[in-house]
Amino acid sequence: MTAEAILRLSTDPVLPFNTLDIALDIQNKLKDDPLRRPDLLATAASFRTNSSLFQSEFMRPANDPKERDPSHMRMLNDVLRDLEKSFLIQSPPPGFSRNILFGLNRHTSGFAILKAAQEDVNQSLSQVSTSISSAEMLICSGLELFENDGSQ
């Protein structure tokens, strides 16, 4: 981790995770993957829609110093932290990251776990689908949380 990244994590009021960028990355990874399934594409599209709404409605205002209610910042950062955790898997294939968003290298697109899944395709597809669904549920619960928060 670079010193700049560490400084941002420690000083920025909102964790530096862009939900829409994550959703777009997921859609791009699935776009050309031969193992993609319609249900996986639909989940990714729904995640993108909800991420866009979450980012525009709740993350953008948090960047305005006048709108930095401490409880709002805490709730937002909790959702973002849990979003990042939703892409971690328990038992990655040997030599692969626990974070399914990380690729094999900079030149390889797609989910690394799917590229390694030649033998057990269904389990790997299930892990990717579960991670995206979990992330979407977190974003939806975050939307619900902030819509029901009376401090806005």
Side-chain angles (χ1 to χ4, degrees), residues 68-118:
R68 289 190 184 150
D69 173 46
S71 64
H72 179 89
M73 293 292 97
R74 176 60 191 236
M75 290 186 306
L76 179 59
N77 283 325
D78 286 349
V79 170
L80 293 173
R81 180 201 61 222
D82 291 345
L83 173 69
E84 193 70 12
K85 285 181 181 178
S86 69
F87 294 105
L88 299 178
I89 57 174
Q90 290 295 333
S91 302
F96 289 85
S97 171
R98 285 186 57 220
N99 188 322
I100 67 164
L101 297 177
F102 294 164
L104 292 171
N105 57 46
R106 293 184 189 269
H107 307 292
T108 306
S109 63
F111 289 100
I113 191 171
L114 293 181
K115 298 206 181 306
Q118 300 296 326

Side-chain angles (χ1 to χ4, degrees), residues 14-15 17-23 46-63 72-84 135-147 152:
V14 178
L15 290 173
F17 301 130
N18 185 323
T19 59
L20 186 55
D21 284 351
I22 292 170
S46 180
F47 176 53
R48 178 184 176 183
T49 300
N50 287 314
S51 292
S52 178
L53 179 62
F54 184 81
Q55 187 168 315
S56 66
E57 293 294 318
F58 303 110
M59 289 182 69
R60 189 174 302 131
N63 291 321
H72 179 89
M73 293 292 97
R74 176 60 191 236
M75 290 186 306
L76 179 59
N77 283 325
D78 286 349
V79 170
L80 293 173
R81 180 201 61 222
D82 291 345
L83 173 69
E84 193 70 12
E136 182 188 10
M137 286 190 298
L138 280 164
I139 291 297
C140 288
S141 68
L143 286 168
E144 211 173 281
L145 178 72
F146 287 109
E147 286 171 355
Q152 280 193 338

